[in-house]
Amino acid sequence: MMRKGVLSLFFVFAVFILTAYSSDVRLATTPDLNLLYTADNLFMQIVEPEDISYIYKVRPARNFGGEFEKIYHHIPLVVANPYNGCSKLDNGRRADGAVVLIQRGDCSFVTKTINAENAGAVAVLITDNDAQNDEAQIHMIQDGTEREVKIPSLFLLGKDGYMIKATLEKYRMDNAIVNIPFNMTGMPTMMNSQPPWTLW
Ligand SMILES: *[C@@H]1O[C@H](CO)[C@@H](O)[C@H](O)[C@H]1NC(C)=O
């Protein structure tokens, strides 16, 4: 009787060890974020507000900025103040841990990205200053200053940036909620999820 009890205890313990070991192995093989690219693009999903809850194409800068090291789930997206991001952000506290949306123009892409990074942003979206631009992707490049940028810097269509900012203003919201980079794998049809105003 006693021996049987010890044996089954041993068995339970062995199963426990095996289970712990195999889940460890699963953790060790982290998914490859490079698989999230389609051509030169990554994607971002807006979860809230619902009006603009679509999947957006975002294009990482060509030769500056960091890479995503993980997928960020349900983090804030805030609009930079000033919107051109050419000086220290006045709403820096909101930018901490968030994705920051900045408008193209007045200073370099690198300067904008550094100002967002200094406020603690995890990534920056630079949107075209042409609010009607719904198809031309810009290849963002270094400004020749050789300054180091750690966070990912991504280009967003002018029309997308315009719609995001206008919708947040309409609802007087401080931020949207996003998933970035969004994993498109296994999405049945991209067509249903892209913004209705955009031609991908
Ligand atoms: C993306 O989703 C697919 C399908 O669900 C999954 O196999 C893959 O590991 C995911 N990739 C990442 C980087 O999470």
Side-chain angles (χ1 to χ4, degrees), residues 30-36 71 183-186:
T30 45
D32 184 359
L33 292 191
N34 286 323
L35 297 175
L36 301 183
I71 295 180
N183 187 354
M184 293 287 283
T185 319

Side-chain angles (χ1 to χ4, degrees), residues 42-58 77 125 156 159-161 163-164 167 170-171 176-184 187 189-200:
L42 285 173
F43 300 89
M44 171 181 76
Q45 180 184 42
I46 293 190
V47 181
E48 277 172 37
E50 209 179 328
D51 286 22
I52 50 168
S53 147
Y54 300 108
I55 295 169
Y56 298 78
K57 201 187 255 183
V58 288
L77 163 71
L125 301 180
L156 177 74
K159 180 84 180 184
D160 291 347
M163 294 300 280
I164 292 170
T167 305
K170 175 176 150 198
Y171 291 121
I177 302 289
V178 302
N179 294 322
I180 190 169
F182 181 69
N183 187 354
M184 293 287 283
M187 284 293 292
T189 47
M190 328 202 310
M191 294 306 288
N192 297 335
S193 325
Q194 74 183 79
W197 58 82
T198 303
L199 312 162
W200 273 8

Side-chain angles (χ1 to χ4, degrees), residues 25-193:
V25 169
R26 222 173 302 135
L27 275 180
T29 51
T30 45
D32 184 359
L33 292 191
N34 286 323
L35 297 175
L36 301 183
Y37 284 85
T38 299
D40 286 339
N41 302 301
L42 285 173
F43 300 89
M44 171 181 76
Q45 180 184 42
I46 293 190
V47 181
E48 277 172 37
E50 209 179 328
D51 286 22
I52 50 168
S53 147
Y54 300 108
I55 295 169
Y56 298 78
K57 201 187 255 183
V58 288
R59 172 165 296 186
R62 185 167 272 183
N63 58 7
F64 71 93
E67 307 247 329
F68 282 101
E69 274 153 25
K70 58 178 251 187
I71 295 180
Y72 293 94
H73 295 283
H74 287 227
I75 62 166
L77 163 71
V78 303
V79 176
N81 183 15
Y83 192 29
N84 69 12
C86 290
S87 52
K88 184 172 185 282
L89 303 193
D90 290 339
N91 57 341
R93 221 190 256 165
R94 288 222 168 82
D96 194 13
V99 176
V100 172
L101 176 67
I102 291 179
Q103 191 177 40
R104 182 185 184 193
D106 304 328
C107 64
S108 73
F109 296 129
V110 171
T111 296
K112 294 168 191 289
T113 307
I114 288 174
N115 286 330
E117 180 174 311
N118 288 343
V122 300
V124 61
L125 301 180
I126 299 177
T127 190
D128 205 346
N129 42 11
D130 174 4
Q132 294 312 313
N133 173 10
D134 56 8
E135 51 183 330
Q137 289 282 351
I138 306 286
H139 288 284
M140 299 194 297
I141 55 167
Q142 252 291 355
D143 60 4
T145 58
E146 310 286 330
R147 286 174 295 173
E148 199 201 337
V149 183
K150 293 197 193 71
I151 62 171
S153 184
L154 312 118
F155 186 78
L156 177 74
L157 289 177
K159 180 84 180 184
D160 291 347
Y162 171 81
M163 294 300 280
I164 292 170
K165 183 167 181 281
T167 305
L168 293 179
E169 281 166 3
K170 175 176 150 198
Y171 291 121
R172 297 171 194 272
M173 290 171 76
D174 291 327
N175 61 270
I177 302 289
V178 302
N179 294 322
I180 190 169
F182 181 69
N183 187 354
M184 293 287 283
T185 319
M187 284 293 292
T189 47
M190 328 202 310
M191 294 306 288
N192 297 335
S193 325

